[in-house]
C-alpha cells in the first residue's frame, strides 16, 4: 500500500459520516433507477412473451351483425394478414349463493383447440371436449374469486334465456391482461369475468348461425410498421354496411392501453427520480470535497514539493468520488433488487400474466454502477481541481482568511439590530457561503418536490374517484338493456320498492366526421334537469346539457378539429344509419376523455324515436329484503343485459388504487427523507468543522450543547424551509408530468394537490431537520473543545 493509499484510507475513515450520507443519496438514486427500470423490463418481457403465445390481435372491430362468408373475403385487403371472426356478448351469471346478478362477457372459441388469434391458455382443467355442447371455460381470476372449479355447473342468462353450462377449465388470455367492467377503470375479478363458449353453441343461443359481431386480426409487417391505421380504416369502411360500432387498434385496446400507460409512468420515473437524487449527491459531494481539499492544501503542497505530480494528486482525490460512487452503487443494487421485487409483486395483483417474475438484469446493474460513479466523480472534480492547480510554495502556506465585511442585511441597521447575535452569526455564515447555501436550498427543494409528488399522487387519484362518483355519476345502480327499451321500462323500475328516483339514459353509437377527420364514439342522451349523471368540467363546475346540439369534451373535439359552433356529421350504427348534421354547442375540458352529451328528448327526436332508452340509473334506499327482491327480479328479466352497482365500483377503485398509490407514496417519502438527511448532515458537519473554534469558545463561556445546537438548528430550519417553499411548485410540475403519462382516450388523470398536502410537506421537512439535528447534537457533545482552542505551532 502506497503513502497515498494509506492517506486515503485515513481520510475516508475520518470523513466516513459525511461520505456515507452522500453514498446513501447515491444509493437511493441508483436503487430507484434499477428498481423502476427492472420492473419495466419485467412487465415488457412478460407482455411480449404472453402476446406471442396467445397470438395477440393488432386490431378489434365490433359489428352489429355480419355474415361470416362476407367477412372472410376481406382477409385479402391490403395490410391485413389474418382475420378471425367471432361473437362477443354481455351476459349475467346467476350463482345460487350470490343474490346480485354478476356481469360477464361471453366470447366464442373454436370447438377444437388451435393456434387462433387471441387464443387462451388453460391453467386448470381442460379445453372443450366432445362430451357436451354447453361447455364453458372461465377466466381464471374470476373463478378463483368466486370459488368455481372445473366440473362445476353454472347458470348464465344468455339472450334472456337461463342456460346451464358445464365448466371444463379455467384460462387466461393476453386480451384480458387487465380487465375492467364497462364504465369502470379497475380490475374487479369478483364482480366481472369472462366465459368462453363453443362457437356453434353460441350461434344457436343468440341466433347467429353463420354470422359474427366481432373481428380480431393481425396486420402485415409493413402495415404494422406504419401504425396500421390505414389498413384498419379500410377494413372498417368495407364493413360499414354491417354496422361498425368501433374499430380499435392494439394501442387503444383497453387492456393494452392500461398496461402501456403504467409502463410509460415507470419509464418516466426511472428517468426523473435517479436524476434528482444523483444531482443532489453531486452537489453535496462537491461541497464536501471542496472542504476536504481546502483543509489539506498544505499537505498537497508538501506532496508536490516531494515530487508527486499533479496527475497523482488529482487521481488520489478523485478516488474519493469513485469510492463514494461505488459504495452508493452497491447500496443501489440492494435497494433496486428489493424495489423491483416489491413492485413486480404489486403488479402481479393488478395484471394477469402466465408468468411475471423479478429478473436480474446485469446490464441495468452495470449501467447503474457506472452512472453512480460518474456522478460522484463529477461532484468531486471542482474541489480537486482548485487545489491540484496550486504550485507547491503557494499550497504550503495557510490560505488567506475568508473575506469578512458586512453582509447586505447590515446595510439596514434597524432591521439588523432586531436579530440577536445568534441569528446575526447564522445570517453572516449563510450569506458568505453562497455556494453551500444554494446547494442546501436546492437539495431541500428536490426533497420537498418528491414529498409533493408522493402525496400528490394519492390526492390526484382520490380527486379522480371523487370527480367520477361524487360529481358526474350519482346513481346507486345502473341497468343496461339488451336492446333499446321504452318508457315502460323506466316506469316499471320507478315502481320497484326502494327505488327513490330513476332516470333514463339513451346511448347512440356511431361515427363522428368533420372534414377528413373521423372518430367512432357514442352520444349519451341525458334527461333535462337530470341529477344522476351531471357533466362537469375539469375544474369541478357542473355544465348543463344544451337543449339542442352537442356538449363535447375537449379531447374529442381536438381529435376532430372542432370548435364551438361547428357542424359535424354523425352517422349512427343502429337503425337506418342516416347521417345527421349536428352542431357542437359547447366544448368543455373534462377528466372523461371522449364523452359526448346531448339532451335526451333532442337525441330521441334526432334518431326518430320518442322515449327510447339504453339504460336506467337509479337512486335507491333498499331494505335487505327489498334488495334481494330487486336482484331476483333482475335475474328473471329477459331484457336486462347488465347490472352495475356504482357503490361497489367506487369501493373497488378505491381499494385498488389506494393499495398501489399509498405504497408508492410511502416509498417516495422515505426517498425524500434520505435527501434531507444527507444534505443537512453534510452541511452541518462541515459547518461544525469550520466553526469548531467558535463553538469551543461558546462552551468555555458557559453555553450548553443545547444552546450551541440551537444555532445549527436555526440555520438548518432557515435553509430547508426556504428550499421547501421553492420545491413545492417544482413538485407540482413533476406531478403534472407524471399524471400526463396516464392520460388516454378513456380518462385524463388530474393533477391535484390538497391544501393539507402543502402543510404536510412543511411538517415533514421540519421533522427531517429535527431528526438530522440529533446527529449534529451528538457531534457537538463529542467535540474536544479544549483541543479546538489550543494554538497550533
Amino acid at each position: 500500500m502506497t503513502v497515498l493509499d494509506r492517506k486515503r484510507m485515513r481520510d475516508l475513515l475520518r470523513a466516513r459520516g459525511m461520505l456515507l450520507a452522500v453514498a446513501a443519496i447515491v444509493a437511493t438514486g441508483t436503487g430507484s433507477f434499477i428498481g423502476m427500470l427492472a420492473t419495466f423490463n419485467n412487465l415488457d418481457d412478460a407482455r411480449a412473451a404472453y402476446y406471442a403465445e396467445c397470438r395477440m390481435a393488432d386490431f378489434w372491430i365490433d359489428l352489429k351483425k355480419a355474415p361470416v362468408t362476407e367477412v372472410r373475403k376481406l382477409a385479402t385487403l391490403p395490410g391485413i394478414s389474418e382475420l378471425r371472426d367471432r361473437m362477443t356478448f354481455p351476459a349475467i351469471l346467476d350463482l345460487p349463493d350470490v343474490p346480485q346478478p354478476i356481469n360477464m362477457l361471453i366470447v366464442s372459441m373454436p370447438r377444437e383447440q388451435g393456434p387462433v388469434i387471441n387464443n387462451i391458455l388453460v391453467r386448470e382443467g381442460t379445453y372443450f371436449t366432445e362430451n357436451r355442447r354447453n361447455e364453458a371455460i372461465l377466466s381464471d381470476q374470476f373463478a378463483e374469486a368466486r370459488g368455481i372449479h372445473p366440473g362445476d355447473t353454472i347458470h348464465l342468462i344468455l339472450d334472456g334465456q337461463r342456460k346451464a353450462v358445464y365448466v371444463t377449465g379455467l384460462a387466461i388470455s393476453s386480451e384480458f391482461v387487465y380487465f375492467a367492467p364497462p364504465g369502470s377503470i379497475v380490475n374487479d375479478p369478483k364482480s366481472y369475468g369472462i366465459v368462453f363458449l363453443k362457437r356453434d353453441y353460441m350461434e344457436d343461443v343468440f341466433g347467429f348461425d353463420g354470422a359474427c359481431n366481432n373481428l380480431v386480426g393481425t396486420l402485415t409487417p409493413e402495415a404494422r410498421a406504419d401504425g396500421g391505421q390505414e389498413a384498419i380504416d379500410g377494413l372498417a369502411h368495407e364493413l360499414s354496411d354491417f354496422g361498425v360500432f368501433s374499430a380499435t387498434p392494439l394501442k387503444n385496446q383497453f387492456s393494452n392501453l392500461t398496461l402501456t400507460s403504467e409502463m410509460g409512468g415507470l419509464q418516466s420515473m426511472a428517468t426523473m427520480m435517479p436524476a434528482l437524487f444523483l444531482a443532489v449527491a453531486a452537489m453535496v459531494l462537491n461541497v464536501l470535497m471542496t472542504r476536504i481539499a481546502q483543509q489539506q492544501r498544505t499537505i498537497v503542497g508538501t506532496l508536490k514539493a516531494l515530487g508527486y505530480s499533479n496527475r497523482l494528486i488529482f487521481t488520489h482525490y478523485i478516488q474519493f468520488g469513485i469510492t463514494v460512487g461505488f459504495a452508493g452503487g452497491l447500496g443501489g443494487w440492494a435497494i433496486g433488487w428489493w424495489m423491483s421485487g416489491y413492485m413486480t409483486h404489486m403488479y402481479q395483483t393488478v395484471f394477469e400474466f402466465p408468468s411475471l417474475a423479478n429478473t436480474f438484469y446485469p446490464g441495468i446493474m452495470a449501467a447503474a454502477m457506472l452512472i453512480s460513479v460518474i456522478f460522484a466523480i463529477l461532484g468531486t472534480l471542482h474541489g480537486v481541481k482548485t487545489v491540484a492547480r496550486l504550485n507547491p510554495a503557494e499550497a504550503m502556506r495557510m490560505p488567506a482568511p475568508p473575506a469578512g465585511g458586512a453582509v447586505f442585511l447590515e446595510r439596514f441597521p434597524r432591521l439588523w439590530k432586531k436579530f440577536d447575535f445568534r441569528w446575526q452569526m447564522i445570517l453572516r455564515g449563510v450569506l458568505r457561503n453562497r455556494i453551500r447555501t444554494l446547494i442546501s436550498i436546492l437539495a431541500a427543494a428536490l426533497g420537498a418536490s418528491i414529498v409533493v409528488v408522493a402525496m400528490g399522487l394519492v390526492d390526484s387519484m382520490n380527486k379522480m374517484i371523487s370527480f367520477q362518483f361524487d360529481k358526474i355519476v350519482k346513481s346507486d345502480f345502473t341497468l343496461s338493456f339488451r336492446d333499446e327499451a321504452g318508457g315502460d321500462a323506466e316506469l316499471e323500475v320507478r315502481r320497484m320498492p326502494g327505488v327513490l328516483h330513476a332516470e333514463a339514459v339513451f346511448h347512440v353509437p356511431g361515427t363522428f366526421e368533420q372534414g377528413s377527420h373521423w372518430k367512432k364514439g357514442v352520444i349519451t342522451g341525458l334527461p333535462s334537469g337530470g341529477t344522476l349523471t351531471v357533466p362537469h368540467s375539469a375544474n369541478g363546475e357542473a355544465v348543463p346539457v344544451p337543449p339542442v346540439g352537442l356538449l363535447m369534451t375537449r379531447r374529442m373535439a381536438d381529435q376532430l378539429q372542432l370548435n364551438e359552433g361547428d357542424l359535424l356529421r354523425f352517422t349512427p350504427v343502429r337503425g337506418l344509419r342516416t347521417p345527421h348534421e349536428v352542431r357542437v354547442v359547447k366544448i368543455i375540458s373534462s377528466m372523461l376523455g371522449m364523452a359526448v352529451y346531448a339532451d335526451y328528448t333532442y337525441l330521441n327526436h334526432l334518431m326518430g324515436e320518442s322515449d327510447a332508452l339504453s339504460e336506467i340509473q337509479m337512486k335507491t334506499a333498499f331494505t335487505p329484503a327489498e334488495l334481494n327482491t330487486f336482484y331476483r327480479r333482475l335475474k328473471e328479466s329477459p331484457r336486462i343485459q347488465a347490472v352495475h352497482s356504482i357503490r361497489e365500483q367506487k369501493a373497488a377503485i378505491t381499494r385498488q388504487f389506494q393499495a398501489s398509490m399509498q405504497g408508492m407514496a410511502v416509498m417516495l417519502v422515505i426517498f425524500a427523507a434520505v435527501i434531507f438527511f444527507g444534505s443537512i448532515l453534510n452541511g452541518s458537519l462541515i459547518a461544525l468543522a469550520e466553526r469548531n473554534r467558535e463553538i469551543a469558545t461558546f462552551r468555555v463561556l458557559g453555553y450548553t450543547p443545547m444552546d450551541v445546537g440551537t444555532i445549527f438548528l436555526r440555520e438548518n430550519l432557515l435553509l430547508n424551509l426556504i428550499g421547501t417553499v421553492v420545491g413545492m411548485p417544482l413538485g407540482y410540475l413533476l406531478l403534472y408530468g407524471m399524471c400526463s403519462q396516464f392520460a388516454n382516450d378513456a380518462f385524463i388523470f388530474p393533477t391535484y394537490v390538497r391544501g393539507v398536502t402543502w402543510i404536510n410537506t412543511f411538517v415533514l421537512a421540519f421533522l427531517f431537520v429535527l431528526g438530522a439535528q440529533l446527529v449534529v447534537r451528538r457531534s457537538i457533545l463529542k467535540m474536544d473543545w479544549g483541543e479546538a482552542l489550543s494554538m497550533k505551532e
Side-chain angles (χ1 to χ4, degrees):
M1 184 179 287
T2 66
V3 172
L4 290 179
D5 290 334
R6 288 196 295 272
K7 175 183 176 301
R8 186 174 62 255
M9 292 300 296
R10 287 195 299 269
D11 291 341
L12 287 171
L13 288 173
R14 191 177 297 116
R16 61 185 179 275
M18 292 181 284
L19 293 173
L20 283 174
V22 180
I25 300 176
V26 174
T28 308
T30 54
S32 62
F33 172 81
I34 293 168
M36 293 177 184
L37 197 56
T39 304
F40 172 86
N41 282 359
N42 291 338
L43 290 170
D44 194 43
D45 291 346
R47 178 176 65 175
Y50 196 13
Y51 283 12
E53 188 173 8
C54 287
R55 302 191 64 215
M56 185 68 161
D58 291 322
F59 60 87
W60 286 252
I61 295 181
D62 290 310
L63 308 158
K64 186 175 181 181
K65 186 175 183 179
V68 170
T69 54
E70 296 297 322
V71 168
R72 292 177 179 173
K73 294 176 183 178
L74 303 178
T76 59
L77 288 175
I80 304 299
S81 174
E82 185 180 349
L83 284 177
R84 175 192 165 198
D85 53 89
R86 62 181 190 174
M87 289 174 288
T88 62
F89 289 98
I92 288 178
L93 173 64
D94 181 9
L95 292 178
D97 55 342
V98 179
Q100 67 265 33
I102 301 172
N103 300 322
M104 307 293 286
L105 177 66
I106 312 299
V107 180
S108 68
M109 290 295 294
R111 173 181 288 272
E112 296 180 359
Q113 192 170 11
V116 296
I117 300 173
N118 284 357
N119 210 347
I120 62 175
L121 304 179
V122 178
R123 305 294 295 274
E124 185 180 343
T126 66
Y127 195 75
F128 299 135
T129 70
E130 295 298 327
N131 298 332
R132 309 168 191 83
R133 294 182 67 249
N134 60 332
E135 291 180 342
I137 299 172
L138 262 62
S139 54
D140 184 65
Q141 276 191 348
F142 174 81
E144 181 181 354
R146 285 297 181 181
I148 302 174
H149 305 281
D152 292 346
T153 298
I154 59 175
H155 292 84
L156 296 169
I157 299 173
L158 306 173
D159 200 31
Q161 310 168 59
R162 192 171 189 272
K163 299 285 187 180
V165 295
Y166 179 82
V167 179
T168 62
L170 311 179
I172 60 175
S173 173
S174 62
E175 189 177 2
F176 308 111
V177 173
Y178 186 86
F179 191 60
S184 179
I185 58 173
V186 296
N187 185 7
D188 186 11
K190 194 170 184 180
S191 63
Y192 197 52
I194 316 295
V195 181
F196 300 98
L197 296 177
K198 291 180 179 180
R199 172 69 181 260
D200 55 355
Y201 178 71
M202 285 187 65
E203 287 181 348
D204 290 345
V205 171
F206 291 97
F208 261 63
D209 187 23
C212 64
N213 67 353
N214 181 262
L215 287 180
V216 291
T218 56
L219 300 169
T220 61
E222 297 78 14
R224 190 179 294 119
D226 292 336
Q229 194 61 53
E230 185 177 347
I232 297 171
D233 291 346
L235 179 60
H237 177 74
E238 293 293 329
L239 292 166
S240 59
D241 290 341
F242 303 112
V244 176
F245 292 112
S246 63
T248 308
L250 175 60
K251 65 178 182 179
N252 292 333
Q253 193 252 354
F254 182 76
S255 171
N256 182 73
L257 181 65
T258 305
L259 177 57
T260 302
S261 296
E262 190 67 35
M263 292 170 63
L266 277 176
Q267 273 189 314
S268 297
M269 291 281 284
T271 303
M272 179 191 74
M273 294 296 297
L276 293 178
F277 282 99
L278 294 172
V280 171
M283 290 188 294
V284 174
L285 189 57
N286 172 68
V287 173
L288 175 60
M289 290 308 302
T290 300
R291 170 63 185 165
I292 290 175
Q294 290 292 344
Q295 279 182 324
Q296 298 186 1
R297 59 180 284 143
T298 55
I299 297 174
V300 172
T302 303
L303 291 172
K304 287 187 175 185
L306 292 173
Y308 285 88
S309 66
N310 281 341
R311 182 181 62 81
L312 283 175
I313 294 173
F314 182 82
T315 303
H316 166 71
Y317 283 102
I318 280 294
Q319 286 173 347
F320 278 84
I322 294 175
T323 303
V324 171
F326 188 73
L330 289 178
W333 282 1
I335 294 172
W337 178 252
W338 168 83
M339 187 175 174
S340 62
Y342 171 80
M343 295 181 70
T344 300
H345 175 72
M346 180 185 72
Y347 283 124
Q348 286 172 344
T349 64
V350 176
F351 300 108
E352 188 172 41
F353 289 98
S355 175
L356 177 59
N358 188 26
T359 305
F360 182 81
Y361 297 98
I364 295 178
M365 296 292 192
M369 180 63 75
L370 181 62
I371 291 171
S372 66
V373 171
I374 288 174
F375 269 83
I377 290 174
L378 291 174
T380 310
L381 279 177
H382 175 72
V384 176
K385 286 167 64 177
T386 56
V387 175
R389 285 198 294 260
L390 294 173
N391 62 56
E394 182 185 358
M396 292 178 70
R397 291 197 303 267
M398 291 298 292
V407 298
F408 84 93
L409 285 177
E410 294 183 65
R411 299 173 187 172
F412 308 95
R414 291 184 180 179
L415 174 64
W416 184 252
K417 290 179 181 179
K418 291 183 178 180
F419 298 110
D420 63 23
F421 80 94
R422 297 180 184 86
W423 273 114
Q424 289 177 354
M425 187 174 70
I426 291 169
L427 292 172
R428 286 193 183 107
V430 166
L431 295 173
R432 287 170 180 168
N433 295 284
R434 291 188 294 272
I435 299 297
R436 188 189 306 163
T437 297
L438 180 61
I439 289 175
S440 296
I441 290 174
L442 286 176
L446 292 174
S449 69
I450 293 173
V451 174
V452 171
V453 168
M455 297 183 177
L457 283 172
V458 178
D459 291 345
S460 298
M461 178 50 61
N462 289 334
K463 177 70 172 179
M464 189 174 73
I465 294 173
S466 174
F467 182 86
Q468 174 68 12
F469 294 100
D470 297 335
K471 291 184 177 295
I472 295 181
V473 179
K474 300 182 180 180
S475 59
D476 296 324
F477 289 93
T478 299
L479 306 182
S480 299
F481 294 87
R482 288 193 303 110
D483 299 307
E484 292 173 1
D488 61 318
E490 182 181 3
L491 183 61
E492 182 181 352
V493 168
R494 287 178 182 273
R495 291 174 175 171
M496 288 185 177
V499 175
L500 304 178
H501 181 60
E503 292 179 1
V505 178
F506 187 27
H507 296 296
V508 181
T511 304
F512 299 93
E513 297 176 84
Q514 198 281 124
S516 60
H517 303 282
W518 69 276
K519 185 78 177 177
K520 293 287 183 182
V522 177
I523 300 178
T524 299
L526 301 176
S528 177
T531 59
L532 299 186
T533 293
V534 182
H536 278 69
S537 61
N539 61 11
E541 294 181 359
V543 181
V545 177
V548 176
L550 301 180
L551 171 66
M552 184 175 289
T553 56
R554 172 61 60 187
R555 192 177 183 91
M556 183 71 158
D558 288 346
Q559 292 195 17
L560 292 170
Q561 298 293 298
L562 285 167
N563 296 310
E564 289 186 359
D566 289 349
L567 286 172
L568 63 79
R569 174 175 292 185
F570 176 72
T571 306
V573 174
R574 294 190 177 97
L576 300 176
R577 299 197 291 275
T578 303
H580 300 275
E581 295 288 331
V582 188
R583 189 173 301 279
V584 179
V585 176
K586 183 73 174 177
I587 296 176
I588 61 171
S589 297
S590 176
M591 295 182 198
L592 301 181
M594 310 297 286
V596 180
Y597 300 101
D599 179 78
Y600 174 79
T601 304
Y602 165 76
L603 187 59
N604 262 276
H605 176 73
L606 192 69
M607 295 297 109
E609 302 283 353
S610 57
D611 57 357
L613 57 89
S614 308
E615 65 181 32
I616 296 176
Q617 298 176 327
M618 297 176 293
K619 199 72 178 174
T620 61
F622 291 123
T623 65
E626 288 173 342
L627 184 60
N628 288 333
T629 302
F630 172 72
Y631 284 144
R632 186 178 68 254
R633 291 179 62 178
L634 295 182
K635 289 180 180 180
E636 295 171 352
S637 173
R639 297 195 292 180
I640 299 298
Q641 175 178 274
V643 182
H644 303 287
S645 172
I646 307 303
R647 293 175 183 174
E648 291 181 3
Q649 283 187 11
K650 182 179 180 179
I653 290 174
T654 303
R655 280 195 309 271
Q656 180 170 315
F657 282 109
Q658 282 186 346
S660 58
M661 290 294 183
Q662 288 179 351
M664 180 67 72
V666 170
M667 188 184 303
L668 290 176
V669 170
I670 293 173
F671 287 174
V674 172
I675 286 184
F676 273 102
F677 275 101
S679 171
I680 293 169
L681 286 178
N682 266 282
S684 297
L685 294 177
I686 290 173
L688 278 173
E690 290 179 345
R691 300 177 183 174
N692 57 353
R693 193 172 183 85
E694 296 175 21
I695 294 168
T697 302
F698 281 134
R699 297 285 285 117
V700 170
L701 292 174
Y703 287 89
T704 66
M706 179 69 73
D707 295 329
V708 177
T710 302
I711 297 174
F712 291 94
L713 176 61
R714 291 182 180 184
E715 181 175 331
N716 286 327
L717 284 173
L718 174 66
L719 296 179
N720 285 276
L721 293 183
I722 291 174
T724 300
V725 172
V726 174
M728 286 181 175
L730 174 62
Y732 187 86
L733 291 176
L734 293 175
L735 179 64
Y736 178 82
M738 289 185 60
C739 291
S740 64
Q741 292 290 328
F742 297 96
N744 54 56
D745 285 353
F747 61 88
I748 297 172
F749 204 89
T751 304
Y752 176 71
V753 180
R754 293 184 303 158
V756 71
T757 294
W758 305 116
I759 297 173
N760 288 339
T761 303
F762 256 103
V763 171
L764 282 174
F766 181 77
L767 292 177
F768 293 152
V769 173
L770 291 182
Q773 186 67 19
L774 297 176
V775 181
V776 175
R777 186 172 182 275
R778 183 170 173 268
S779 299
I780 294 173
L781 290 173
K782 292 173 63 178
M783 179 178 290
D784 186 348
W785 48 271
E787 172 68 17
L789 287 175
S790 63
M791 297 297 293
K792 304 295 189 300
E793 294 292 337

